[in-house]
Each structure stands twice: as C-alpha cells, then as structure tokens.
Amino acid sequence: MKEIPLFPLNTVLFPNMPITLHIFEERYKQMMNQCIADSIPFGVVLIRQGSEVGRTAETYQFGCAAHIAQVQPLEDGRMNMVALGKERFRIESLHHDLPYLRGEIVEIELDTTLKGDIGRITDLLRAAITEYLTVLSSVGDVEFKVDKLPDSPLELAYLSATLLQAPNERKQELLEINGADQLIREVYDTCRREISILRAMLSSEQMPDNDGPFSLN
C-alpha cells in the first residue's frame, strides 16, 4: 500500500488518458504544489455524493492515479495543468488531517489476457466509435476529430470509454473491470447503446411538428 493525495471530481479518468484541470481552491493549490515538489501522482476519484467545490465529497472506492505532465502557473497561485492517467487503484483507508483528502491505496493490475475473437470485437469497436463521433457531431452540431485511433485493443477501449458521453456511473463500472477482454467487449456494448440513444435524439429533432393528441415528451 502507499499513500497519495486524492482529487474528487465529477469525471472518470482512465489509464493512458489525459485530464486537464484548472486549480483554484486553496486546498488543491496546496495539494498540487506538494505533488510537484515530491514528484508524486494524485488520485482522481469519481464523486458519489457531494460537489467538487467546498466540503470534501464522498467518492467511489476505485480511481486512477494521475501523473502531472504540464503546469501553467497563473496569478494568485492558481494553475492550469495536464495530467496523464496511469495506475488504477482501490482506496483502503482515508485520511482527513490535511485540507485535502489523502488515501492509502492498493494498485490494481489489469489482466491483459485476450481471447481468440477479440480482434473482431476490436474492429467492431473501432467502427462503432467512429460512427458514434459522427452521429454526435450531427446531434450537437460540433465536429469531433480523432486523428488516429490506437492500434492497441486496450488503448482503443480506454480512449473510447473516455470519448463516450455515457453516464459517469457507467464509466466507473468500466474503470473497475479487471480484465482487458471483458473491458473491450463492455466498451463496445456501451458504444452501441450510446449510438442508439443519439440516433433516437436525432430522429426526434427531425420529426415535424404534430398538432395531434400525442407528444414527443
């Protein structure tokens, strides 16, 4: 076990994925300065109850360690930063003696065993996330670009899980999966569900006004 600072957020960080943060609360200025001084990561954990600002929120037990990659100092000790997700972990105990939350954690290794048909599932996921981003652009009138999808099935799964605008609770479930094979399949299934939701939204927006007794609501 080891101890790291914890940052409760309304987001789920996956391994090998970046996160950008604007640090303005005094407690998190102190936390990040300590991380920089000691060259240690901080843990990103999804909020189960509470908010990002103010009192410490209740979090899920599983999170992802974030290693600071870039820091842009600002006035009044504020900072913008980019960190990269690395190790998944499980919180064993919490410490509240400092202004920011700390936890004793155990790193959780992923079983990277892949089964025979995972190549086919990976190809399906690659096509699905491409379709998802296309449909999302149509619904939100915003263009989403990914220059090149990863060749690695696992990296593709984590990138797809990050890009999907699925509920955070679902993303947390994906983060906690301990086998790469299951993760890839679950991300693909989630992607297909999100595509169906987006297509239904797009269809409802394109339907003509109806003065009859029925409503889209």
Side-chain angles (χ1 to χ4, degrees):
M1 282 199 304
K2 65 179 181 181
E3 180 185 292
I4 62 171
L6 298 176
F7 200 161
L9 291 170
N10 286 311
T11 191
V12 177
L13 178 64
F14 292 96
N16 300 320
M17 294 295 108
I19 185 171
T20 58
L21 296 167
H22 174 64
I23 307 301
F24 61 92
E25 278 194 81
E26 289 300 325
R27 56 177 172 169
Y28 292 125
K29 292 180 193 177
Q30 180 181 340
M31 185 183 86
M32 293 306 179
N33 284 326
Q34 195 65 52
C35 288
I36 293 167
D38 295 342
S39 298
I40 60 173
F42 60 94
V44 173
V45 282
L46 177 64
I47 293 173
R48 186 191 296 271
Q49 186 174 1
S51 64
E52 292 182 351
V53 180
R55 296 180 61 184
T56 300
E58 178 188 345
T59 70
Y60 286 83
Q61 189 178 10
F62 285 77
C64 183
H67 293 248
I68 297 172
Q70 296 178 359
V71 178
Q72 177 190 19
L74 302 171
E75 293 181 355
D76 303 322
R78 296 176 296 110
M79 64 188 82
N80 292 327
M81 67 167 47
V82 179
L84 187 65
K86 291 290 186 180
E87 307 87 3
R88 298 182 311 138
F89 61 80
R90 181 180 66 248
I91 300 171
E92 296 295 308
S93 63
L94 295 171
H95 302 292
H96 300 271
D97 55 316
L98 294 177
Y100 54 86
L101 188 64
R102 294 178 299 129
E104 295 283 345
I105 65 163
V106 173
E107 293 180 5
I108 307 296
E109 291 189 11
L110 188 75
D111 179 359
T112 57
T113 304
L114 299 178
K115 296 180 181 178
D117 67 338
I118 202 63
R120 181 181 67 86
I121 302 299
T122 300
D123 289 341
L124 290 172
L125 173 57
R126 184 172 284 106
I129 194 62
T130 301
E131 179 184 358
Y132 173 80
L133 294 176
T134 301
V135 179
L136 186 62
S137 297
S138 300
V139 172
D141 197 24
V142 177
E143 186 175 3
F144 292 85
K145 279 191 175 180
V146 177
D147 293 334
K148 186 179 183 300
L149 294 173
D151 294 325
S152 162
L154 181 57
E155 290 186 12
L156 176 65
Y158 279 138
L159 175 60
S160 299
T162 300
L163 293 173
L164 290 173
Q165 296 190 14
N168 278 331
E169 292 78 10
R170 176 55 180 160
K171 291 193 174 190
Q172 182 69 26
E173 292 173 353
L174 295 174
L175 177 68
E176 296 183 15
I177 292 174
N178 286 325
D181 188 275
Q182 181 188 357
L183 172 68
I184 295 164
R185 297 170 193 275
E186 293 276 355
V187 172
Y188 171 66
D189 289 343
T190 303
C191 189
R192 294 307 310 170
R193 285 197 295 272
E194 291 301 310
I195 289 172
S196 297
I197 293 170
L198 287 178
R199 288 203 177 280
M201 291 172 58
L202 194 59
S203 296
S204 66
E205 289 176 359
Q206 293 174 348
M207 290 182 67
D209 291 338
N210 189 339
D211 294 330
F214 298 104
S215 166
L216 292 177
N217 296 320

